[in-house]
mmCIF file of all heavy atoms in Angstrom:
data_model
loop_
_atom_site.group_PDB
_atom_site.id
_atom_site.type_symbol
_atom_site.label_atom_id
_atom_site.label_comp_id
_atom_site.label_asym_id
_atom_site.label_seq_id
_atom_site.Cartn_x
_atom_site.Cartn_y
_atom_site.Cartn_z
ATOM 1 N N ARG A 1 0.840 -1.199 0.001
ATOM 2 C CA ARG A 1 0.000 0.000 0.000
ATOM 3 C C ARG A 1 0.876 1.251 0.000
ATOM 4 O O ARG A 1 0.593 2.211 -0.729
ATOM 5 C CB ARG A 1 -0.916 0.012 1.229
ATOM 6 C CG ARG A 1 -2.075 -0.951 1.183
ATOM 7 C CD ARG A 1 -3.083 -0.598 2.255
ATOM 8 N NE ARG A 1 -4.084 -1.635 2.460
ATOM 9 C CZ ARG A 1 -4.076 -2.508 3.460
ATOM 10 N NH1 ARG A 1 -3.113 -2.460 4.376
ATOM 11 N NH2 ARG A 1 -5.017 -3.401 3.585
ATOM 12 N N TYR A 2 1.880 1.267 0.856
ATOM 13 C CA TYR A 2 2.764 2.434 0.898
ATOM 14 C C TYR A 2 3.426 2.668 -0.460
ATOM 15 O O TYR A 2 3.482 3.801 -0.956
ATOM 16 C CB TYR A 2 3.840 2.259 1.971
ATOM 17 C CG TYR A 2 3.448 2.805 3.327
ATOM 18 C CD1 TYR A 2 3.229 1.961 4.405
ATOM 19 C CD2 TYR A 2 3.298 4.172 3.524
ATOM 20 C CE1 TYR A 2 2.857 2.463 5.650
ATOM 21 C CE2 TYR A 2 2.924 4.681 4.763
ATOM 22 C CZ TYR A 2 2.711 3.829 5.813
ATOM 23 O OH TYR A 2 2.337 4.337 7.030
ATOM 24 N N ILE A 3 3.917 1.606 -1.067
ATOM 25 C CA ILE A 3 4.605 1.751 -2.355
ATOM 26 C C ILE A 3 3.653 2.276 -3.425
ATOM 27 O O ILE A 3 4.067 3.032 -4.315
ATOM 28 C CB ILE A 3 5.251 0.410 -2.771
ATOM 29 C CG1 ILE A 3 6.420 0.102 -1.822
ATOM 30 C CG2 ILE A 3 5.741 0.462 -4.218
ATOM 31 C CD1 ILE A 3 7.079 -1.244 -2.054
ATOM 32 N N ARG A 4 2.364 1.940 -3.336
ATOM 33 C CA ARG A 4 1.393 2.466 -4.295
ATOM 34 C C ARG A 4 1.350 3.988 -4.258
ATOM 35 O O ARG A 4 1.090 4.630 -5.283
ATOM 36 C CB ARG A 4 -0.013 1.920 -3.996
ATOM 37 C CG ARG A 4 -0.302 0.525 -4.479
ATOM 38 C CD ARG A 4 -0.046 0.296 -5.927
ATOM 39 N NE ARG A 4 -0.543 1.353 -6.805
ATOM 40 C CZ ARG A 4 -0.337 1.375 -8.121
ATOM 41 N NH1 ARG A 4 0.368 0.411 -8.703
ATOM 42 N NH2 ARG A 4 -0.817 2.345 -8.858
ATOM 43 N N LEU A 5 1.619 4.587 -3.100
ATOM 44 C CA LEU A 5 1.581 6.051 -3.002
ATOM 45 C C LEU A 5 2.597 6.723 -3.919
ATOM 46 O O LEU A 5 2.428 7.874 -4.289
ATOM 47 C CB LEU A 5 1.835 6.502 -1.554
ATOM 48 C CG LEU A 5 0.827 6.072 -0.484
ATOM 49 C CD1 LEU A 5 1.184 6.710 0.852
ATOM 50 C CD2 LEU A 5 -0.602 6.451 -0.883
ATOM 51 N N THR A 6 3.650 6.015 -4.298
ATOM 52 C CA THR A 6 4.667 6.607 -5.176
ATOM 53 C C THR A 6 4.129 6.823 -6.586
ATOM 54 O O THR A 6 4.792 7.469 -7.400
ATOM 55 C CB THR A 6 5.935 5.727 -5.246
ATOM 56 O OG1 THR A 6 5.636 4.471 -5.874
ATOM 57 C CG2 THR A 6 6.496 5.482 -3.857
ATOM 58 N N TYR A 7 2.952 6.268 -6.877
ATOM 59 C CA TYR A 7 2.345 6.448 -8.203
ATOM 60 C C TYR A 7 1.342 7.607 -8.225
ATOM 61 O O TYR A 7 0.696 7.847 -9.244
ATOM 62 C CB TYR A 7 1.659 5.151 -8.653
ATOM 63 C CG TYR A 7 2.631 4.013 -8.845
ATOM 64 C CD1 TYR A 7 2.927 3.131 -7.803
ATOM 65 C CD2 TYR A 7 3.298 3.839 -10.052
ATOM 66 C CE1 TYR A 7 3.839 2.099 -7.964
ATOM 67 C CE2 TYR A 7 4.216 2.809 -10.228
ATOM 68 C CZ TYR A 7 4.476 1.953 -9.177
ATOM 69 O OH TYR A 7 5.397 0.930 -9.348
ATOM 70 N N LEU A 8 1.228 8.321 -7.106
ATOM 71 C CA LEU A 8 0.386 9.517 -7.059
ATOM 72 C C LEU A 8 1.138 10.705 -7.644
ATOM 73 O O LEU A 8 2.364 10.822 -7.499
ATOM 74 C CB LEU A 8 0.000 9.835 -5.609
ATOM 75 C CG LEU A 8 -0.958 8.868 -4.908
ATOM 76 C CD1 LEU A 8 -1.036 9.208 -3.421
ATOM 77 C CD2 LEU A 8 -2.337 8.908 -5.541
ATOM 78 N N ILE A 9 0.404 11.625 -8.266
ATOM 79 C CA ILE A 9 1.040 12.864 -8.693
ATOM 80 C C ILE A 9 1.372 13.689 -7.445
ATOM 81 O O ILE A 9 0.752 13.542 -6.394
ATOM 82 C CB ILE A 9 0.142 13.668 -9.671
ATOM 83 C CG1 ILE A 9 -1.177 14.066 -8.992
ATOM 84 C CG2 ILE A 9 -0.111 12.875 -10.951
ATOM 85 C CD1 ILE A 9 -2.029 15.007 -9.832
ATOM 86 N N SER A 10 2.364 14.558 -7.554
ATOM 87 C CA SER A 10 2.900 15.269 -6.385
ATOM 88 C C SER A 10 1.843 16.028 -5.575
ATOM 89 O O SER A 10 1.846 15.951 -4.337
ATOM 90 C CB SER A 10 4.010 16.223 -6.819
ATOM 91 O OG SER A 10 5.104 15.496 -7.312
ATOM 92 N N PRO A 11 0.914 16.790 -6.216
ATOM 93 C CA PRO A 11 -0.057 17.538 -5.400
ATOM 94 C C PRO A 11 -0.948 16.638 -4.548
ATOM 95 O O PRO A 11 -1.296 16.999 -3.421
ATOM 96 C CB PRO A 11 -0.884 18.307 -6.446
ATOM 97 C CG PRO A 11 -0.007 18.392 -7.648
ATOM 98 C CD PRO A 11 0.768 17.108 -7.652
ATOM 99 N N ILE A 12 -1.329 15.470 -5.072
ATOM 100 C CA ILE A 12 -2.172 14.565 -4.295
ATOM 101 C C ILE A 12 -1.359 13.886 -3.195
ATOM 102 O O ILE A 12 -1.837 13.725 -2.062
ATOM 103 C CB ILE A 12 -2.852 13.525 -5.205
ATOM 104 C CG1 ILE A 12 -3.850 14.227 -6.140
ATOM 105 C CG2 ILE A 12 -3.566 12.455 -4.377
ATOM 106 C CD1 ILE A 12 -4.608 13.296 -7.067
ATOM 107 N N LEU A 13 -0.113 13.520 -3.495
ATOM 108 C CA LEU A 13 0.744 12.934 -2.462
ATOM 109 C C LEU A 13 0.969 13.927 -1.329
ATOM 110 O O LEU A 13 1.009 13.553 -0.150
ATOM 111 C CB LEU A 13 2.079 12.509 -3.077
ATOM 112 C CG LEU A 13 3.066 11.788 -2.151
ATOM 113 C CD1 LEU A 13 2.424 10.578 -1.501
ATOM 114 C CD2 LEU A 13 4.323 11.396 -2.911
ATOM 115 N N GLN A 14 1.082 15.203 -1.673
ATOM 116 C CA GLN A 14 1.241 16.229 -0.640
ATOM 117 C C GLN A 14 0.000 16.303 0.250
ATOM 118 O O GLN A 14 0.098 16.525 1.457
ATOM 119 C CB GLN A 14 1.509 17.593 -1.278
ATOM 120 C CG GLN A 14 1.810 18.687 -0.262
ATOM 121 C CD GLN A 14 2.176 20.005 -0.923
ATOM 122 O OE1 GLN A 14 2.404 20.082 -2.133
ATOM 123 N NE2 GLN A 14 2.233 21.064 -0.143
ATOM 124 N N MET A 15 -1.178 16.112 -0.337
ATOM 125 C CA MET A 15 -2.417 16.091 0.461
ATOM 126 C C MET A 15 -2.373 14.971 1.495
ATOM 127 O O MET A 15 -2.843 15.130 2.623
ATOM 128 C CB MET A 15 -3.635 15.888 -0.451
ATOM 129 C CG MET A 15 -3.964 17.049 -1.351
ATOM 130 S SD MET A 15 -5.419 16.674 -2.371
ATOM 131 C CE MET A 15 -5.344 18.015 -3.554
ATOM 132 N N VAL A 16 -1.813 13.821 1.106
ATOM 133 C CA VAL A 16 -1.693 12.702 2.043
ATOM 134 C C VAL A 16 -0.744 13.070 3.172
ATOM 135 O O VAL A 16 -1.022 12.844 4.346
ATOM 136 C CB VAL A 16 -1.213 11.425 1.322
ATOM 137 C CG1 VAL A 16 -1.118 10.261 2.304
ATOM 138 C CG2 VAL A 16 -2.142 11.068 0.173
ATOM 139 N N ASP A 17 0.396 13.667 2.830
ATOM 140 C CA ASP A 17 1.366 14.087 3.842
ATOM 141 C C ASP A 17 0.773 15.103 4.814
ATOM 142 O O ASP A 17 1.119 15.118 5.999
ATOM 143 C CB ASP A 17 2.605 14.699 3.171
ATOM 144 C CG ASP A 17 3.567 13.645 2.648
ATOM 145 O OD1 ASP A 17 3.455 12.472 3.071
ATOM 146 O OD2 ASP A 17 4.437 13.980 1.823
ATOM 147 N N GLU A 18 -0.101 15.959 4.310
ATOM 148 C CA GLU A 18 -0.692 17.017 5.137
ATOM 149 C C GLU A 18 -2.002 16.576 5.794
ATOM 150 O O GLU A 18 -2.715 17.387 6.379
ATOM 151 C CB GLU A 18 -0.941 18.261 4.276
ATOM 152 C CG GLU A 18 0.344 18.904 3.767
ATOM 153 C CD GLU A 18 0.089 20.068 2.826
ATOM 154 O OE1 GLU A 18 -1.092 20.281 2.448
ATOM 155 O OE2 GLU A 18 1.051 20.749 2.460
ATOM 156 N N SER A 19 -2.322 15.267 5.674
ATOM 157 C CA SER A 19 -3.546 14.699 6.269
ATOM 158 C C SER A 19 -4.809 15.336 5.700
ATOM 159 O O SER A 19 -5.856 15.343 6.348
ATOM 160 C CB SER A 19 -3.525 14.846 7.799
ATOM 161 O OG SER A 19 -2.409 14.171 8.348
ATOM 162 N N ARG A 20 -4.740 15.863 4.486
ATOM 163 C CA ARG A 20 -5.925 16.390 3.818
ATOM 164 C C ARG A 20 -6.626 15.310 3.004
ATOM 165 O O ARG A 20 -7.737 15.510 2.524
ATOM 166 C CB ARG A 20 -5.557 17.581 2.921
ATOM 167 C CG ARG A 20 -5.095 18.801 3.696
ATOM 168 C CD ARG A 20 -5.065 20.034 2.821
ATOM 169 N NE ARG A 20 -3.993 19.990 1.833
ATOM 170 C CZ ARG A 20 -4.129 20.363 0.571
ATOM 171 N NH1 ARG A 20 -5.296 20.787 0.122
ATOM 172 N NH2 ARG A 20 -3.096 20.315 -0.260
ATOM 173 N N MET A 21 -5.947 14.179 2.816
ATOM 174 C CA MET A 21 -6.561 13.030 2.161
ATOM 175 C C MET A 21 -6.185 11.783 2.961
ATOM 176 O O MET A 21 -5.023 11.617 3.341
ATOM 177 C CB MET A 21 -6.096 12.885 0.708
ATOM 178 C CG MET A 21 -6.679 11.653 0.017
ATOM 179 S SD MET A 21 -6.213 11.504 -1.716
ATOM 180 C CE MET A 21 -7.139 12.861 -2.440
ATOM 181 N N ALA A 22 -7.161 10.925 3.200
ATOM 182 C CA ALA A 22 -6.926 9.706 3.969
ATOM 183 C C ALA A 22 -6.055 8.724 3.179
ATOM 184 O O ALA A 22 -6.021 8.734 1.947
ATOM 185 C CB ALA A 22 -8.248 9.062 4.350
ATOM 186 N N PHE A 23 -5.366 7.866 3.915
ATOM 187 C CA PHE A 23 -4.393 6.945 3.327
ATOM 188 C C PHE A 23 -5.043 5.955 2.364
ATOM 189 O O PHE A 23 -4.604 5.815 1.213
ATOM 190 C CB PHE A 23 -3.670 6.200 4.461
ATOM 191 C CG PHE A 23 -2.629 5.223 4.000
ATOM 192 C CD1 PHE A 23 -1.329 5.636 3.736
ATOM 193 C CD2 PHE A 23 -2.947 3.874 3.829
ATOM 194 C CE1 PHE A 23 -0.367 4.728 3.321
ATOM 195 C CE2 PHE A 23 -1.988 2.967 3.411
ATOM 196 C CZ PHE A 23 -0.690 3.395 3.161
ATOM 197 N N ASN A 24 -6.074 5.255 2.811
ATOM 198 C CA ASN A 24 -6.658 4.196 1.980
ATOM 199 C C ASN A 24 -7.285 4.710 0.680
ATOM 200 O O ASN A 24 -7.092 4.101 -0.379
ATOM 201 C CB ASN A 24 -7.661 3.378 2.787
ATOM 202 C CG ASN A 24 -6.969 2.471 3.802
ATOM 203 O OD1 ASN A 24 -5.846 2.028 3.577
ATOM 204 N ND2 ASN A 24 -7.622 2.199 4.918
ATOM 205 N N PRO A 25 -8.062 5.818 0.699
ATOM 206 C CA PRO A 25 -8.538 6.361 -0.575
ATOM 207 C C PRO A 25 -7.386 6.741 -1.505
ATOM 208 O O PRO A 25 -7.472 6.551 -2.724
ATOM 209 C CB PRO A 25 -9.335 7.601 -0.151
ATOM 210 C CG PRO A 25 -9.809 7.296 1.228
ATOM 211 C CD PRO A 25 -8.695 6.515 1.859
ATOM 212 N N ALA A 26 -6.293 7.256 -0.928
ATOM 213 C CA ALA A 26 -5.136 7.643 -1.755
ATOM 214 C C ALA A 26 -4.524 6.432 -2.447
ATOM 215 O O ALA A 26 -4.078 6.525 -3.599
ATOM 216 C CB ALA A 26 -4.092 8.343 -0.892
ATOM 217 N N VAL A 27 -4.504 5.298 -1.764
ATOM 218 C CA VAL A 27 -3.987 4.066 -2.376
ATOM 219 C C VAL A 27 -4.819 3.703 -3.601
ATOM 220 O O VAL A 27 -4.274 3.366 -4.665
ATOM 221 C CB VAL A 27 -3.988 2.904 -1.351
ATOM 222 C CG1 VAL A 27 -3.662 1.580 -2.051
ATOM 223 C CG2 VAL A 27 -2.981 3.185 -0.236
ATOM 224 N N GLU A 28 -6.139 3.784 -3.486
ATOM 225 C CA GLU A 28 -7.017 3.473 -4.631
ATOM 226 C C GLU A 28 -6.795 4.465 -5.769
ATOM 227 O O GLU A 28 -6.743 4.082 -6.941
ATOM 228 C CB GLU A 28 -8.485 3.499 -4.185
ATOM 229 C CG GLU A 28 -8.847 2.502 -3.100
ATOM 230 C CD GLU A 28 -8.621 1.066 -3.514
ATOM 231 O OE1 GLU A 28 -8.875 0.739 -4.697
ATOM 232 O OE2 GLU A 28 -8.193 0.261 -2.660
ATOM 233 N N ILE A 29 -6.650 5.737 -5.435
ATOM 234 C CA ILE A 29 -6.457 6.781 -6.446
ATOM 235 C C ILE A 29 -5.144 6.584 -7.205
ATOM 236 O O ILE A 29 -5.020 6.946 -8.379
ATOM 237 C CB ILE A 29 -6.515 8.168 -5.772
ATOM 238 C CG1 ILE A 29 -7.953 8.469 -5.350
ATOM 239 C CG2 ILE A 29 -5.986 9.274 -6.682
ATOM 240 C CD1 ILE A 29 -8.079 9.628 -4.399
ATOM 241 N N SER A 30 -4.160 5.966 -6.545
ATOM 242 C CA SER A 30 -2.856 5.764 -7.189
ATOM 243 C C SER A 30 -2.954 4.891 -8.442
ATOM 244 O O SER A 30 -2.048 4.897 -9.281
ATOM 245 C CB SER A 30 -1.869 5.137 -6.196
ATOM 246 O OG SER A 30 -2.175 3.764 -5.962
ATOM 247 N N TYR A 31 -4.049 4.124 -8.575
ATOM 248 C CA TYR A 31 -4.236 3.281 -9.754
ATOM 249 C C TYR A 31 -4.820 4.066 -10.929
ATOM 250 O O TYR A 31 -4.895 3.547 -12.046
ATOM 251 C CB TYR A 31 -5.154 2.103 -9.418
ATOM 252 C CG TYR A 31 -4.520 1.067 -8.501
ATOM 253 C CD1 TYR A 31 -4.697 1.150 -7.122
ATOM 254 C CD2 TYR A 31 -3.756 0.026 -9.023
ATOM 255 C CE1 TYR A 31 -4.127 0.206 -6.274
ATOM 256 C CE2 TYR A 31 -3.191 -0.924 -8.184
ATOM 257 C CZ TYR A 31 -3.377 -0.826 -6.803
ATOM 258 O OH TYR A 31 -2.801 -1.758 -5.964
ATOM 259 N N MET A 32 -5.250 5.300 -10.689
ATOM 260 C CA MET A 32 -5.768 6.134 -11.770
ATOM 261 C C MET A 32 -4.615 6.618 -12.650
ATOM 262 O O MET A 32 -3.476 6.735 -12.184
ATOM 263 C CB MET A 32 -6.524 7.338 -11.196
ATOM 264 C CG MET A 32 -7.773 6.970 -10.408
ATOM 265 S SD MET A 32 -8.492 8.393 -9.524
ATOM 266 C CE MET A 32 -8.958 9.458 -10.911
ATOM 267 N N THR A 33 -4.896 6.903 -13.896
ATOM 268 C CA THR A 33 -3.852 7.419 -14.774
ATOM 269 C C THR A 33 -3.413 8.798 -14.281
ATOM 270 O O THR A 33 -4.191 9.508 -13.621
ATOM 271 C CB THR A 33 -4.348 7.548 -16.219
ATOM 272 O OG1 THR A 33 -5.356 8.587 -16.278
ATOM 273 C CG2 THR A 33 -4.932 6.239 -16.736
ATOM 274 N N PRO A 34 -2.186 9.236 -14.589
ATOM 275 C CA PRO A 34 -1.738 10.569 -14.181
ATOM 276 C C PRO A 34 -2.665 11.674 -14.667
ATOM 277 O O PRO A 34 -2.927 12.645 -13.935
ATOM 278 C CB PRO A 34 -0.344 10.684 -14.816
ATOM 279 C CG PRO A 34 0.140 9.267 -14.904
ATOM 280 C CD PRO A 34 -1.083 8.456 -15.215
ATOM 281 N N GLU A 35 -3.200 11.536 -15.882
ATOM 282 C CA GLU A 35 -4.114 12.552 -16.403
ATOM 283 C C GLU A 35 -5.380 12.622 -15.558
ATOM 284 O O GLU A 35 -5.849 13.709 -15.195
ATOM 285 C CB GLU A 35 -4.480 12.264 -17.861
ATOM 286 C CG GLU A 35 -5.413 13.307 -18.453
ATOM 287 C CD GLU A 35 -5.861 12.981 -19.866
ATOM 288 O OE1 GLU A 35 -5.677 11.826 -20.304
ATOM 289 O OE2 GLU A 35 -6.422 13.891 -20.524
ATOM 290 N N HIS A 36 -5.938 11.471 -15.225
ATOM 291 C CA HIS A 36 -7.151 11.443 -14.407
ATOM 292 C C HIS A 36 -6.876 11.949 -12.996
ATOM 293 O O HIS A 36 -7.733 12.581 -12.377
ATOM 294 C CB HIS A 36 -7.730 10.034 -14.365
ATOM 295 C CG HIS A 36 -8.310 9.584 -15.669
ATOM 296 N ND1 HIS A 36 -8.609 8.260 -15.960
ATOM 297 C CD2 HIS A 36 -8.664 10.293 -16.784
ATOM 298 C CE1 HIS A 36 -9.121 8.178 -17.180
ATOM 299 N NE2 HIS A 36 -9.156 9.400 -17.701
#
């Protein structure tokens, strides 16, 4: 799950770091294409 976070674009990963986005939803979002 942690490694999946490396596939997030930087602004969304920053939201995770700042606790503006929960961890588990971010893992699911990491499977979306960079454009999406």
